Amino acid sequence: MSPFTGSATRTPDWRHLRLAVDDGVATVTLARPDKLNALTFGAYADLRDLLAELSRDKSVRALVLGGEGRGFCSGGDVDEIIGATLAMDTAQLLDFNRMTGQVVRAVRECPFPVIAAVHGVAAGAGAVLALAADFRIADPSAKFAFLFTRVGLSGGDMGAAYLLPRVVGLGHATRLLMLGEPVRAPEAERIGLISELTEEGKAAEAAATLARRLADGPALAYAQTKALLTAELDMPLAASVELDAATQALLMNGEDYAEFHASFTEKRPPKWQGR
């Protein structure tokens, strides 16, 4: 995302989520615990807009996405979204579905690593939000469920049919998206859906530790690695190695590459600048 801004100022308050930024680490919390953090139209829009703002903010180097209360996110609110969409025409429905996809694209395209800290339920859109993250840290209570066919819709919602086969393979993705059956933490770890399984109640702590490690590291190198992982999913090998070569040439001309050599020579830890 472009770092350049127009006349709009930074949003001081977000109505549908909580944001805290501490020394390069942004923590975004879905905060409707009484509804298992079910998403509303406003919550989707806030996530889309927040990620765009943070992407232009060079001070943010890692982001943790979590949910307050008993679970991560139960998906779209049954009354406020599913009920409301029944009264929409095709153009309105297309606008809504494009917006949910824009949230996933924002997670994948933002220039910093995103870590989903998952406990309890991650269902429907909540499961896709976690899927879109770069890392999924979960505790034993975590349960993922791609429920779209259970409500009569395609399992390929919000990019799930694109992302899930690339994370767990086509066979597992077909089962999860077609049947909508829940996947508990041990199986999710076995099939590669989660990056790390923690002790009970420790997912948020482990995600914060990883975010701190990433925020203290070479931010530009991480940003380019994330960009290449996304861009090269559909590239032939020849195009991929050419893009890798161009990226490395740019980074070799950067300050962090020179800083590594200086720190190695001087036998000290590197002082990463993200440039």
Side-chain angles (χ1 to χ4, degrees), residues 27-40:
T27 302
V28 177
T29 305
L30 304 174
R32 295 184 76 207
D34 56 319
K35 298 284 189 177
L36 274 175
N37 302 315
L39 298 169
T40 62

Side-chain angles (χ1 to χ4, degrees), residues 1 4 11 23 39 55 68 80 91 97 103 109-110 160 167 191 193 202 209-211 214 242 244 265 268-269 271:
M1 295 184 185
F4 300 105
T11 306
D23 193 21
L39 298 169
S55 295
E68 182 180 331
E80 294 193 35
N97 283 284
V103 175
E109 294 174 5
C110 63
V167 173
I191 65 177
L193 184 55
K202 297 292 186 180
T209 298
L210 176 57
L214 292 165
E242 179 62 23
D244 287 354
T265 302
R268 59 170 176 82
K271 298 175 183 177

Side-chain angles (χ1 to χ4, degrees), residues 231-275:
E232 293 183 17
L233 284 172
D234 300 308
M235 284 186 180
L237 178 59
S240 293
V241 296
E242 179 62 23
L243 183 57
D244 287 354
T247 301
Q248 295 297 52
L250 289 171
L251 292 177
M252 286 174 176
N253 213 19
E255 294 181 22
D256 279 350
Y257 187 63
E259 167 60 15
F260 167 76
H261 184 263
S263 67
F264 182 83
T265 302
E266 297 167 13
K267 296 181 172 56
R268 59 170 176 82
K271 298 175 183 177
W272 304 115
Q273 299 298 314
R275 295 194 292 270

Side-chain angles (χ1 to χ4, degrees), residues 2-79:
S2 171
F4 300 105
T5 59
S7 302
T9 59
R10 186 171 177 177
T11 306
D13 297 298
W14 299 91
R15 286 186 295 160
H16 304 284
L17 47 82
R18 284 204 316 272
L19 169 67
V21 180
D22 179 23
D23 193 21
V25 175
T27 302
V28 177
T29 305
L30 304 174
R32 295 184 76 207
D34 56 319
K35 298 284 189 177
L36 274 175
N37 302 315
L39 298 169
T40 62
F41 294 118
Y44 278 115
D46 268 5
L47 282 169
R48 176 199 61 195
D49 296 345
L50 171 64
L51 286 163
E53 286 195 16
L54 294 180
S55 295
R56 294 189 292 266
D57 185 345
K58 293 298 186 181
S59 67
V60 173
R61 300 188 298 277
L63 183 147
V64 176
L65 177 63
E68 182 180 331
R70 295 180 293 116
F72 177 73
C73 175
S74 59
D77 189 284
V78 173
D79 295 321

Side-chain angles (χ1 to χ4, degrees), residues 87-264:
M88 291 181 177
D89 61 27
T90 301
Q92 292 171 317
L93 291 168
L94 185 57
D95 283 341
F96 165 64
N97 283 284
R98 281 174 171 163
M99 176 176 68
T100 65
Q102 287 164 358
V103 175
V104 170
R105 284 189 60 187
V107 174
R108 292 304 316 144
E109 294 174 5
C110 63
F112 41 76
V114 176
I115 306 157
V118 183
H119 71 289
V121 66
V128 183
L129 284 178
L131 174 65
D134 301 288
F135 300 90
R136 285 160 297 282
I137 310 297
D139 78 6
S141 72
K143 181 172 66 174
F144 299 84
F146 298 87
L147 297 173
F148 306 108
T149 60
R150 296 288 186 95
V151 301
L153 297 177
S154 164
D157 194 61
M158 297 172 62
Y162 177 88
L163 292 170
L164 192 58
R166 290 162 169 81
V167 173
V168 302
L170 181 60
H172 290 305
T174 300
R175 172 172 59 93
L176 299 184
L177 295 182
M178 195 81 74
L179 300 179
E181 294 177 344
V183 180
R184 298 187 181 276
E187 183 186 2
E189 182 184 35
R190 179 179 63 81
I191 65 177
L193 184 55
I194 61 176
S195 312
E196 178 184 344
L197 182 60
T198 72
E199 296 178 6
E200 190 75 34
K202 297 292 186 180
E205 181 181 332
T209 298
L210 176 57
R212 178 77 272 143
R213 173 183 172 183
L214 292 165
D216 290 341
L220 185 57
Y222 292 151
Q224 291 306 115
T225 301
K226 176 172 180 172
L228 293 180
L229 284 167
T230 298
E232 293 183 17
L233 284 172
D234 300 308
M235 284 186 180
L237 178 59
S240 293
V241 296
E242 179 62 23
L243 183 57
D244 287 354
T247 301
Q248 295 297 52
L250 289 171
L251 292 177
M252 286 174 176
N253 213 19
E255 294 181 22
D256 279 350
Y257 187 63
E259 167 60 15
F260 167 76
H261 184 263
S263 67
F264 182 83

